[in-house]
């Protein structure tokens, strides 16, 4: 892709020369590369084929007539760099370009073009404040390449390339996850180039062009001003333009889409740039956790962009499953229903959802419904002058964001907003506003968690202190991640505690069973995980006299550890909210109830924690 | 190979050497996964020392002294791995001291309304090791006084107190919580469940919050108290609702512990002036960026007074977060 600014003359004010003033390339940004370099090693030795940005020292614009530029000369802007040692603050700091510009072409070619036994592995080299990352790739060639059968020129041995390396130079204190992302990109480009080389010797041809331009420029030595050969390479070599584009995209949006040889697509995203809240980027550990959080069928996928916008960004040959998912996805539908509607396996839904989350196109929420309770997120930007406030009033005219947010200061359920006098259109707008606020991470959803804590006995308080509460004792029986494949139907329940098939049915059936010996035995079995004292306390509760209530309590006992919220229990056990709430109320003397956000998906709303 | 090599090559040019130059490099081999930022200054320092030794007495090039390198290197390896510090006697005149300094994350800015509280028992720290400013403010750090108050009572300038506390924060000696008032509102975080799951936090908590001279508080009571904190409930409300549970529990230390371990979080009030006429000045403090705590600290008005002023103002909405 040819961008007009790259083909300017040295006097052109929009030429590459002006990029130091462009604040996109600010030094100190740890997630952007400083430079991209392509080297090769072959029969002609180690060569630096291309580098971008060009070396400043090589340029000599007519405006600075006479004075010979020192490569270490300082910018007047003088940005402050943090030095790892902290002991060279007295010296004037070098900007990023000077860090890499200090390395000449020959030095770079020597250090970055490795031996063949380092091919196919991650290459990382740190010199003072610069870190080079790449993936040297081996090229296998037939010794003589016949370009054309009708070529009358005498056959001579073509200079062969043995290996090449696409290297990104980063600041030395870049995060390890950024380094591995850059390595990933280097590898992807290398795979594409290797493929194209095998197919039509693309890389050899481009390299030949690049070296020819370099040779040409060095032989044409004009008085005083050596030109940068790389500037001349750009208009002639597609590969050079691709590398420049990769560098520019990494520095700005973090999304790279290249078409190597106008044929193979290489796409890549740097999560550190695309996942931003306010001015800060989300730490990579947060991203890891958010991908792991995609595991519950009762959660929903909320797209962060409109369906149309998302679909337009997909390449032509994208997976049809992804398209179907995007089209059927909705904030009120959970992943289980989405799987059914889009006619995909639940596991596939999880995978596509993870992909969308990674690319910053979606987050996981609990599906919207009127009983959901929302509250302001502690990280929400409620400033009057924030860009979010501006966007909100543009989208929802007549409303301002702080007033809307103030309504969520205390936890409020969506049902409370509804009034019989309000028109349906207003209700729909409210839903839209809530969705907007969720997309911009302004709201958190609160869930009810319940924990079993028996009051200690009067006569043996000492013993009780040593004994762990029930929650910790049954900790081994993990319910937290039911395997996705076992959730074939919404009515299935956990099979952890139950030995008899009859118990797998909904509670309705149990009630019908009445006081049958089977049910009684089940209840007793369930209560054996409790100590004698605990059992006695539970049985002495008035509600425990009712066998159905006691049975329900016993059956749900393993949820009362403070890790499963009300909606999860409802989903797993196919129970109604009112049933559960009544049960909690009846046994309130042994249960402690609290409300807070779901830790599994809280990472989406509070990634900075 | 899965290994990382750290080195600092040195080249000394002189006619006396066999190729007119001596090149040497003393480096470390580490696992590829380890974080080795702390080792780099040591490598640089060592290369500097060795260069000086070579220039002064030909330490590396001379055969007699060259073999001394082996015990030096083995001491280096063992001591750095064991204690992170190393003393290398080279000869009668020279000794090299090296220490691994772990770089920590930059601490946040300390505001005048923040309250520092010691993470461990105060007596663990040898006071004489700290600078004079810190020594002067140490007695006033009790987990209840905020920075402004400490500055006033210890008679130290506000910014100095802030910097000193930030320094303590960097080393993990203190952590910051918010001002305690009975009108404060808190709510639980998902971490509150760790009180049930984690025995060590339980022990620590029950020990910390029990009133002096009383029998140890029960886990159930403490957990109920924490869960009783919710949006809309002030600490005063909690005290009246759960008076029975508070027999053996000091509510101020309960809140303090909860904040230190992130079991609960404070809900702050942020006023926002949403309606104003075009001619008046834009709001300076009522923008949604400044909490009541901050406004009260900066302007000197009391919480109650600020509340009265703003509750009745129709142009201002208040957000809790």
């Amino acid at each position: 892709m040819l961008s007009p600014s790259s083909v300017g003359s040295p006097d052109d004010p929009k030429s590459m020369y002006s990029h130091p003033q462009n604040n996109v390339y600010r030094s100190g940004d740890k997630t952007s590369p400083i430079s991209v370099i392509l080297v090769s090693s072959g029969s002609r030795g180690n060569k630096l084929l291309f580098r971008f940005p060009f070396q400043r020292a090589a340029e000599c614009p007519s405006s600075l007539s006479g004075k010979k530029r020192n490569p270490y000369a300082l910018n007047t802007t003088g940005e402050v760099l943090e030095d790892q040692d902290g002991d060279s603050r007295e010296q004037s700091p070098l900007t990023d370009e000077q860090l890499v510009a200090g390395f000449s072409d020959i030095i770079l070619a020597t250090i970055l073009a490795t031996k063949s036994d380092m091919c196919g592995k991650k290459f990382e080299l740190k010199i003072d404040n610069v870190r080079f990352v790449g993936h040297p790739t081996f090229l296998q060639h037939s010794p003589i390449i016949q370009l054309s059968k009708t070529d009358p020129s005498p056959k001579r041995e073509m200079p062969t390339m043995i290996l090449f390396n696409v290297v990104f130079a980063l600041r030395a204190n870049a995060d390890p996850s950024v380094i591995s992302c850059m390595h990933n990109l280097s590898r992807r480009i290398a795979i594409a180039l290797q493929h194209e080389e095998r197919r039509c010797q693309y890389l050899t041809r481009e390299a030949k062009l690049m070296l020819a331009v370099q040779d040409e420029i060095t032989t044409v030595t004009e008085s005083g001003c050596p030109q940068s050969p790389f500037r001349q390479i750009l208009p002639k070599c597609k590969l050079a333009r691709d590398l420049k584009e990769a560098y520019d995209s990494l520095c700005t949006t973090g999304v790279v889409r290249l078409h190597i040889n106008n044929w193979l697509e290489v796409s890549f995203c740097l999560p550190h740039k695309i996942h931003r809240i306010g001015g800060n980027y989300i730490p990579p550990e947060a991203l890891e956790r958010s991908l792991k959080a995609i595991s519950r069928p009762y959660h929903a996928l909320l797209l962060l962009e409109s369906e149309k916008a998302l679909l337009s960004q997909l390449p032509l040959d994208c997976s049809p499953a992804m398209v179907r998912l995007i089209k059927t996805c909705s904030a009120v539908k959970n992943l289980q229903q989405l799987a059914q509607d889009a006619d995909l396996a639940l596991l596939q839904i999880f995978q596509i959802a993870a992909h969308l989350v990674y690319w910053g196109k979606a987050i996981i929420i609990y599906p919207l419904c009127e009983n959901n309770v929302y509250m302001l997120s502690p990280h929400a930007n409620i400033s009057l002058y924030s860009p979010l406030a501006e966007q909100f009033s543009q989208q929802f005219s007549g409303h301002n964001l702080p007033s809307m947010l103030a309504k969520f200061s205390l936890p409020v359920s969506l049902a409370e907003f509804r009034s019989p006098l309000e028109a349906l259109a207003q209700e729909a707008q409210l839903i839209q506003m809530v969705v907007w606020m969720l997309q911009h991470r302004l709201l958190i959803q609160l869930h009810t968690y319940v924990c079993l804590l028996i009051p200690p006995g009067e006569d043996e308080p000492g013993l009780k202190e040593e004994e762990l509460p029930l929650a910790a004792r049954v900790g081994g029986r993990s319910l937290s991640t039911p395997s996705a494949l076992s959730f074939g139907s919404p009515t299935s329940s956990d099979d952890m505690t139950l030995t008899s098939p009859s118990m797998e049915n909904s509670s309705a059936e149990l009630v019908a069973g009445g006081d049958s010996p089977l049910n009684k035995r089940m209840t007793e079995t369930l209560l054996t995980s409790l100590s004698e004292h605990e059992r006695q306390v539970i049985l002495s509760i008035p509600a425990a006299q009712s066998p159905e209530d006691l049975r329900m309590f016993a059956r749900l006992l393993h949820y009362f550890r403070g890790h499963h919220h009300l909606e999860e229990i409802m989903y797993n056990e196919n129970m109604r909210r009112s049933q559960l709430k009544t049960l909690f109320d009846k046994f309130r003397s042994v249960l402690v109830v609290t409300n807070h956000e779901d830790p599994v998906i809280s990472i989406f709303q509070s990634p900075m924690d | 190979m899965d290994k990382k090599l750290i080195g600092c090559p040195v080249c000394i040019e002189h006619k006396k050497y066999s190729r007119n130059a001596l090149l040497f490099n003393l480096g470390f081999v580490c696992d590829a996964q380890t974080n080795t930022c702390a080792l780099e200054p040591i490598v640089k320092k060592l290369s500097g020392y060795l260069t000086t030794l070579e220039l002064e007495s030909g330490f590396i090039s001379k055969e007699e002294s060259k073999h001394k390198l082996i015990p030096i290197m083995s001491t280096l390896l063992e001591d750095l791995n064991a204690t992170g510090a190393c003393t290398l006697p080279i000869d009668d005149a020279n000794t090299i001291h090296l220490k691994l300094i772990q770089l920590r994350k930059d601490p946040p800015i300390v505001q005048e309304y923040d309250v520092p509280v010691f993470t461990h028992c105060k007596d663990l720290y040898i006071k004489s090791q700290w600078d004079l400013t810190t020594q002067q403010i140490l007695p006033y750090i009790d987990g209840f006084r905020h920075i402004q108050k400490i500055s006033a009572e210890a008679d130290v300038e506000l910014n100095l107190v802030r910097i000193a506390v930030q320094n303590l924060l960097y080393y993990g000696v203190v952590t910051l919580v918010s001002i305690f008032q009975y009108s404060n509102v808190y709510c639980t975080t998902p971490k509150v469940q760790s009180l049930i799951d984690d025995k060590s936090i339980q022990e620590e908590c029950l020990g910390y919050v029990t009133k002096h001279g009383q029998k140890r508080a029960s886990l159930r009571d403490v957990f109920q108290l924490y869960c009783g904190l919710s949006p809309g409930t002030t600490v005063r409300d909690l005290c009246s609702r759960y008076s029975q549970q508070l027999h053996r529990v000091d509510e101020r230390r309960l809140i303090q512990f909860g904040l230190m371990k992130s079991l609960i979080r404070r809900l702050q009030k942020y006023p926002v002036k949403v309606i104003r006429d075009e001619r008046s000045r834009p709001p300076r403090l009522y923008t949604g960026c400044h909490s009541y705590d901050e406004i009260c600290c900066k302007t000197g008005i009391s919480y109650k007074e600020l509340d009265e002023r703003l509750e009745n103002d129709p142009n201002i909405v208040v957000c809790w977060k």
Side-chain angles (χ1 to χ4, degrees):
Chain A
M1 188 183 79
L2 206 69
S3 58
S5 62
S6 63
V7 203
S9 65
D11 296 319
D12 182 350
K14 287 207 305 269
S15 75
M16 289 329 301
Y17 220 56
S18 64
H19 76 253
Q21 281 85 44
N22 184 345
N23 60 8
V24 158
Y25 301 98
R26 192 187 339 226
S27 67
D29 184 353
K30 293 192 286 197
T31 57
S32 294
I34 308 173
S35 178
V36 62
I37 301 157
L38 175 64
V39 298
S40 74
S41 169
S43 58
R44 275 178 77 177
N46 295 337
K47 292 275 176 214
L48 180 117
L49 296 173
F50 184 69
R51 71 192 285 182
F52 186 80
F54 315 129
Q55 246 179 311
R56 269 195 95 179
E59 296 273 8
C60 189
S62 48
S63 54
L64 294 169
S65 53
K67 216 162 49 150
K68 186 157 169 242
R69 277 195 71 91
N70 180 341
Y72 292 92
L74 303 169
N75 270 341
T76 46
T77 50
E79 313 245 15
V80 180
L81 281 180
E82 4 152 7
D83 186 285
Q84 259 168 277
D85 298 344
D87 57 354
S88 55
R89 282 189 212 277
E90 304 82 29
Q91 298 168 15
S92 314
L94 297 172
T95 62
D96 286 342
E97 314 125 38
Q98 286 158 352
L99 282 176
V100 178
F103 295 100
S104 72
D105 294 357
I106 303 179
I107 299 274
L108 280 180
T110 316
I111 56 178
L112 299 178
T114 63
K115 295 257 186 305
S116 358
D117 47 358
M118 287 195 67
C119 285
K121 287 185 277 203
K122 180 175 177 187
F123 168 82
E124 195 177 326
L125 172 66
K126 177 167 167 315
I127 302 182
D128 282 343
N129 285 328
V130 184
R131 192 184 289 265
F132 298 98
V133 160
H135 191 88
T137 309
F138 193 64
L139 286 178
Q140 277 158 338
H141 271 301
S142 47
I144 308 214
I145 303 162
Q146 282 190 296
L147 287 175
S148 155
K149 289 210 165 77
T150 59
D151 186 352
S153 61
K155 271 197 213 135
R156 53 193 172 83
E157 193 142 323
M158 294 286 293
T160 53
M161 194 189 298
I162 299 172
L163 63 84
F164 69 94
N165 197 357
V166 177
V167 177
F168 289 98
L170 306 168
R171 283 174 56 81
N173 55 3
D175 200 273
S177 53
V178 175
I179 299 170
S180 63
C181 282
M182 294 298 184
H183 168 241
N184 193 342
L185 177 59
S186 166
R187 197 162 165 217
R188 288 186 193 206
I189 298 178
I191 292 173
L193 286 174
Q194 193 182 39
H195 182 273
E196 284 301 284
E197 175 66 16
R198 282 207 197 105
R199 188 175 71 91
C200 58
Q201 294 84 46
Y202 175 66
L203 185 58
T204 314
R205 278 186 282 135
E206 293 287 292
K208 191 166 158 239
L209 274 171
M210 289 174 179
L211 290 172
V213 173
Q214 287 186 32
D215 288 341
E216 189 188 305
I217 298 288
T218 49
T219 54
V220 182
T221 32
E222 284 156 31
S223 49
C225 285
Q227 286 281 320
S228 167
F230 305 116
R231 176 180 294 277
Q232 308 304 321
I233 289 177
L234 268 180
K236 295 189 181 149
C237 275
K238 172 85 178 20
L239 180 57
R241 293 196 293 279
D242 283 339
L243 291 175
K244 174 183 175 297
E245 192 191 324
Y247 174 82
D248 288 340
S249 310
L250 283 171
C251 289
T252 52
T253 59
V255 178
V256 176
R257 268 182 93 166
L258 306 172
H259 290 89
I260 302 286
N261 198 15
N262 287 319
W263 181 242
L264 284 183
E265 182 175 334
V266 175
S267 64
F268 171 83
C269 81
L270 191 59
H272 309 82
K273 281 228 146 68
I274 56 181
H275 297 268
R276 293 178 91 100
I277 305 225
N280 307 307
Y281 78 80
I282 295 181
E285 313 82 60
L287 188 61
E288 295 278 312
R289 276 175 56 196
S290 54
L291 293 175
K292 288 204 180 90
I294 305 172
S295 56
R296 312 295 169 100
Y298 53 78
H299 281 148
L301 190 67
L302 177 66
L303 296 177
L304 294 177
E305 297 175 25
S306 76
E307 182 189 307
K308 216 168 97 180
L310 252 187
L311 289 173
S312 67
Q313 289 168 21
L314 296 175
L316 288 169
D317 58 349
C318 73
S319 137
M322 164 98 77
V323 177
R324 273 210 311 273
L325 184 144
I326 293 176
K327 285 194 171 150
T328 38
C329 162
S330 141
V332 301
K333 225 183 268 189
N334 68 28
L335 295 174
Q336 177 79 50
Q337 288 166 305
L338 187 59
Q340 285 167 350
D341 290 352
D343 196 22
L344 294 165
L346 189 60
L347 199 58
Q348 216 179 347
I349 296 280
F350 284 170
Q351 286 168 345
I352 303 179
H355 186 78
L356 288 170
V357 166
Y358 183 80
W359 279 78
K361 305 293 180 195
I363 54 172
I364 299 288
I365 57 167
Y366 188 83
L368 239 58
C369 85
E370 64 176 22
N371 286 313
N372 284 0
V373 172
Y374 293 102
M375 192 169 87
L376 262 191
S377 162
H379 304 284
N381 183 349
I382 49 181
S383 161
L384 199 53
Y385 306 118
S386 72
L388 282 178
E390 175 90 26
Q391 283 173 31
F392 187 83
S393 30
Q394 277 174 1
Q395 188 142 354
F396 304 102
S397 60
H399 291 93
N400 73 59
L401 187 59
S403 305
M404 194 64 206
L405 290 175
K407 295 191 181 146
F408 287 94
S409 286
L410 285 179
V412 59
S413 74
L414 293 181
E416 287 173 51
F417 280 100
R418 202 189 280 166
S419 88
L421 303 169
E422 242 176 42
L424 224 59
Q426 275 182 313
E427 196 178 302
Q429 195 186 44
L430 172 74
I431 306 278
Q432 280 179 354
M433 287 199 269
V434 170
V435 169
W436 191 94
M437 289 192 277
L438 282 171
Q439 284 171 329
H440 292 87
R441 318 208 195 216
L442 296 169
L443 296 179
I444 53 173
Q445 185 175 354
L446 298 181
H447 296 271
T448 307
Y449 288 81
V450 75
C451 193
L452 181 76
L453 268 180
I454 311 282
E458 297 308 319
D459 38 347
E460 30 173 329
L463 253 151
K464 287 304 139 216
E465 300 303 332
E466 267 78 60
E467 213 177 281
L468 291 169
L470 176 76
R473 264 180 280 141
V474 297
R477 297 147 79 198
S478 160
L479 286 164
S480 43
T481 332
S483 103
L485 300 170
S486 73
F487 276 87
S489 79
T491 57
S492 67
S493 58
D494 279 297
D495 49 9
M496 300 295 287
T497 59
L498 314 169
T499 48
S500 152
S502 69
M503 288 289 259
E504 276 167 24
N505 304 325
S506 64
S507 56
E509 271 211 38
L510 272 176
V511 171
D515 241 348
S516 78
L518 193 66
N519 285 331
K520 226 178 183 159
R521 192 160 51 84
M522 285 308 122
T523 315
E524 276 162 21
T525 320
L526 290 166
L527 293 177
T528 48
S529 53
L530 304 169
S531 75
E532 186 54 45
H533 164 74
E534 287 170 340
R535 216 171 312 141
Q536 280 184 2
V537 171
I538 291 176
L539 291 171
S540 65
I541 298 172
Q545 304 316 310
S546 140
E548 302 95 68
D549 284 342
L550 184 63
R551 237 190 328 270
M552 201 189 298
F553 183 86
R555 204 178 105 214
L556 301 178
L557 198 61
H558 57 269
Y559 288 111
F560 301 153
R561 299 186 292 137
H563 293 291
H564 306 276
H565 55 67
L566 196 80
E567 285 82 7
E568 184 179 344
I569 306 176
M570 278 167 59
Y571 180 85
N572 287 353
E573 302 293 319
N574 196 27
M575 291 174 70
R576 286 188 307 279
R577 187 180 293 265
S578 51
Q579 275 178 300
L580 274 173
K581 287 205 143 155
T582 322
L583 185 74
F584 293 162
D585 194 48
K586 285 184 182 161
F587 286 89
R588 65 180 173 281
S589 54
V590 295
L591 296 175
V592 182
V593 172
T594 183
N595 295 325
H596 54 72
E597 56 270 32
D598 184 349
V600 173
I601 54 172
S602 71
I603 193 65
F604 290 104
Q605 299 304 338
S606 318
M608 304 313 210
D609 282 340
Chain B
M1 198 170 58
D2 273 350
K3 293 277 180 286
K4 223 195 278 199
L5 292 123
I6 312 172
C8 186
V10 178
C11 172
I12 304 177
E13 289 178 13
H14 199 277
K15 281 201 289 284
K16 70 179 186 190
Y17 299 117
S18 57
R19 280 186 186 169
N20 294 332
L22 176 70
L23 292 107
F24 65 89
N25 188 353
L26 179 68
F28 291 111
V29 179
C30 311
D31 275 330
Q33 311 306 325
T34 42
N35 185 348
T36 49
C37 303
L39 286 173
E40 287 173 25
I42 292 192
V43 171
K44 273 207 191 137
K45 226 178 183 180
L46 271 173
S47 78
Y49 280 135
L50 290 174
T51 312
T52 316
L53 282 170
E54 172 59 27
L55 289 170
E56 280 178 6
S57 55
F59 185 71
I60 299 176
S61 46
K62 291 213 183 92
E63 282 308 317
E64 324 73 80
S65 45
K66 211 193 233 181
H67 66 263
K68 278 201 207 154
L69 279 172
I70 300 181
I72 287 178
M73 283 161 66
S74 49
T75 318
L76 194 59
L77 181 65
E78 284 157 19
D79 287 356
L80 280 182
N81 277 335
T83 57
C86 177
T87 304
L88 302 168
I90 305 290
D91 54 27
D92 298 330
N94 299 309
T95 314
I96 302 179
H97 300 277
L98 297 165
K99 186 166 180 194
L100 277 172
I101 310 275
Q102 290 298 343
L103 272 179
R104 297 169 201 248
K105 262 193 337 196
D106 283 342
I109 298 179
V110 174
Q111 303 289 1
E112 54 218 336
Y113 47 87
D114 284 326
V115 175
V117 55
F118 280 104
T119 49
H120 306 287
C121 174
K122 206 189 247 202
D123 304 319
L124 281 176
Y125 301 105
I126 304 170
K127 299 193 176 50
S128 55
Q129 281 184 348
W130 296 99
D131 62 273
L132 289 175
T133 311
T134 309
Q135 281 184 41
Q136 200 167 340
I137 63 170
L138 273 179
Y140 296 91
I141 298 180
D142 60 352
F144 297 110
R145 287 190 177 89
H146 57 285
I147 299 287
Q148 207 179 45
K149 200 166 185 187
I150 295 176
S151 158
E153 289 185 16
D155 197 21
V156 178
E157 205 255 318
L158 184 68
N159 281 320
L160 282 180
V161 179
R162 286 172 69 181
I163 294 171
V165 172
Q166 193 178 35
N167 192 35
L168 291 174
L169 201 57
Y170 179 79
Y171 287 105
V173 174
V174 301
T175 182
L176 296 178
V177 296
S178 67
I179 299 175
F180 178 84
Q181 287 172 292
Y182 280 94
S183 56
N184 281 358
V185 173
Y186 300 90
C187 70
T188 50
T189 68
K191 281 220 183 101
V192 73
Q193 306 295 349
S194 64
L195 206 53
I196 305 293
D197 301 333
D198 188 335
K199 191 85 173 127
S200 61
I201 295 190
Q202 243 176 65
E203 292 296 314
E204 208 186 327
C205 179
L206 296 178
Y208 197 87
V209 308
T210 307
K211 273 187 188 154
H212 273 313
Q214 293 270 8
K215 205 162 53 122
R216 223 160 87 117
S218 79
L219 177 65
R220 185 166 188 270
D221 286 348
V222 171
F223 192 70
Q224 267 190 315
L225 284 168
Y226 279 126
C227 292
L229 290 167
S230 66
T233 307
T234 63
V235 180
R236 202 174 289 123
D237 296 337
L238 186 81
C239 291
S240 55
R241 240 177 256 167
Y242 291 90
S243 53
Q244 198 251 327
Q245 282 85 344
L246 282 168
H247 278 329
R248 292 185 269 166
V249 173
D250 177 347
E251 65 269 12
R252 290 183 6 143
R253 283 175 75 86
L254 178 83
I255 301 288
Q256 209 178 57
F257 187 85
L259 287 174
M260 278 165 64
K261 299 289 177 186
S262 306
L263 307 178
I264 56 174
R265 62 183 172 93
R266 167 98 188 274
L267 287 173
Q268 301 259 16
K269 279 168 94 160
Y270 291 83
V272 190
K273 189 160 190 159
V274 286
I275 307 169
R276 65 175 183 96
D277 55 9
E278 296 301 313
R279 290 162 295 143
S280 67
R281 263 180 304 129
R284 192 176 57 92
L285 285 175
Y286 301 155
T287 57
C289 299
H290 307 280
S291 65
Y292 264 41
D293 274 10
E294 188 180 341
I295 297 175
C296 290
C297 247
K298 287 209 161 91
T299 58
I301 35 179
S302 81
Y303 206 84
K304 197 159 154 218
E305 214 182 304
L306 183 64
D307 228 3
E308 279 166 19
R309 253 193 232 184
L310 297 179
E311 287 288 289
N312 299 321
D313 190 336
N315 301 329
I316 294 188
V317 302
V318 175
C319 293
W320 292 77
K321 67 164 187 173

